[in-house]
Amino acid sequence: MLLDPSMSNTSTKPIGVFDSGLGGLTVLKELVALMPNENFIYLGDVARLPYGTKSSTVVTRYASRCVDYLVGRDVKLVVIACNTATATALPELRRERAFPIHGVIEPGVSAALAHTRKKKVLVLATPSTVKSDAYPKEFRRQDPSVSVEQLACPLLVPLAEEGWFDHEVTVSVMREYMARARDPEFDTVVLGCTHYPLLLPSLSRALGPGIRLVHGGANLAAQVKIGLQASHSLRSSSQPGSIDLVATDVISSTVPLVQSLFGPHCNFSLVDL
Ligand code: DGL
């Protein structure tokens, strides 16, 4: 159970979301689409990006600071939008805190299971997520009959940061990675990193037709909403909620992009964690 029963009068509190950077905005987008009246605080730990090449000890330390910051802002729950932080730190973060924390891996696996017909799935993720084995473990927990292969794709995050969402270079990098797959018979690919949905046009071209590309964002948003409804903690206002975007380093160049995604109700600030 991810929601604390003592949350019943916390409906006006914001939802806290964090990622190592701004890739988690792909998850925030799903949350806002499903719960437009909620207030959100999004923390992008851009000063420490990337998490995906760092050890689990270091990522857990960074993720703890992010969770503690959001809890200190009096959020009603925390969503870890970052796959790497979910993979390496979520169990420990939950063990140490009696506070509802959602991660992206369990909903990502559910999304893949809903689509795969051949029961063969490929997971694309950062080196740290692959090393943690969190995706194969979660697949075994949800459906042990599914065959899962993982590919670490460290070059995809910088390509997304560069904005090469639909670009020949991204297509060829992805083809190069695909050549490393041991079993090419998969029919479903999990985008196991927050940045990868941004690269969808290139990844679809590289993977070709007939392959489903999924990520956990929509399932995660549905899971959060169901939990909030069950504990009567959804914000009841019919007014659109606000979005506070907090970052650990300057993100001024991305402010117009963020406002085009989420509208003018976005406030920006810096925090030193
Ligand atoms: N947010 C990370 C993830 O979803 C990707 C970026 C990084 O390496 O920090 O795994």
Side-chain angles (χ1 to χ4, degrees), residues 19-21 23-24 49-53 81-85 126 129 157 192-195:
D19 180 39
S20 55
L49 182 87
Y51 283 12
T53 50
C82 177
N83 285 261
T84 306
T126 64
T129 298
V157 167
C193 169
T194 46
H195 283 61

Side-chain angles (χ1 to χ4, degrees), residues 4-15:
D4 181 350
S6 65
M7 290 169 46
S8 50
N9 51 13
T10 58
S11 59
T12 53
K13 292 183 179 184
I15 293 175

Side-chain angles (χ1 to χ4, degrees), residues 19-273:
D19 180 39
S20 55
L22 298 179
L25 293 173
T26 55
V27 175
L28 180 65
K29 202 162 175 275
E30 305 280 356
L31 290 161
V32 173
L34 203 61
M35 294 169 283
N37 305 325
E38 291 292 325
N39 294 321
F40 291 91
I41 301 175
Y42 178 98
L43 169 63
D45 192 9
V46 288
R48 300 183 178 89
L49 182 87
Y51 283 12
T53 50
K54 297 193 169 79
S55 70
S56 64
T57 311
V58 167
V59 173
T60 303
R61 192 187 320 137
Y62 293 170
S64 292
R65 286 185 198 161
C66 293
V67 171
D68 289 343
Y69 169 77
L70 290 169
V71 172
R73 294 278 311 261
D74 203 20
V75 297
K76 55 186 165 192
L77 62 91
V78 170
V79 171
I80 305 183
C82 177
N83 285 261
T84 306
T86 303
T88 59
L90 182 60
E92 190 171 326
L93 294 172
R94 279 185 176 153
R95 247 192 330 271
E96 287 175 349
R97 292 165 184 79
F99 195 83
I101 308 176
H102 294 250
V104 275
I105 291 185
E106 188 212 313
V109 168
S110 310
L113 291 175
H115 286 104
T116 180
R117 296 283 162 264
K118 294 185 182 172
K119 295 209 164 208
K120 283 181 188 261
V121 175
L122 180 71
V123 177
L124 308 179
T126 64
S128 307
T129 298
V130 168
K131 192 160 172 239
S132 75
D133 239 14
Y135 269 102
K137 279 184 201 148
E138 182 58 24
F139 271 104
R140 281 197 292 280
R141 194 184 70 80
Q142 291 193 33
D143 183 350
S145 70
V146 172
S147 129
V148 183
E149 181 170 354
Q150 307 187 87
L151 279 182
C153 305
L155 290 176
L156 295 188
V157 167
L159 289 167
E161 300 271 312
E162 193 64 28
W164 290 4
F165 305 148
D166 191 3
H167 195 289
E168 282 314 318
V169 171
T170 310
V171 176
S172 35
V173 166
M174 196 56 230
R175 289 200 175 119
E176 196 71 32
Y177 283 135
M178 291 312 301
R180 299 179 185 175
R182 285 187 309 276
D183 181 358
E185 287 304 308
F186 55 85
D187 62 359
T188 303
V189 171
V190 179
L191 304 179
C193 169
T194 46
H195 283 61
Y196 300 174
L198 298 168
L199 301 173
L200 203 58
S202 299
L203 301 188
S204 309
R205 277 165 65 199
L207 287 157
I211 307 285
R212 291 297 297 255
L213 289 101
V214 301
H215 66 96
N219 277 359
L220 170 71
Q223 189 186 76
V224 169
K225 186 172 181 181
I226 289 167
L228 288 173
Q229 276 166 334
S231 58
H232 307 287
S233 302
L234 267 182
R235 184 167 177 251
S236 52
S237 167
S238 57
Q239 298 300 312
S242 62
I243 298 177
D244 275 9
L245 199 83
V246 185
T248 51
D249 201 353
V250 279
I251 50 155
S252 45
S253 61
T254 47
V255 168
L257 170 75
V258 174
Q259 280 178 333
S260 73
L261 279 172
F262 298 106
H265 303 287
C266 256
N267 310 307
F268 297 89
S269 55
L270 275 176
V271 67
D272 188 11
L273 292 185

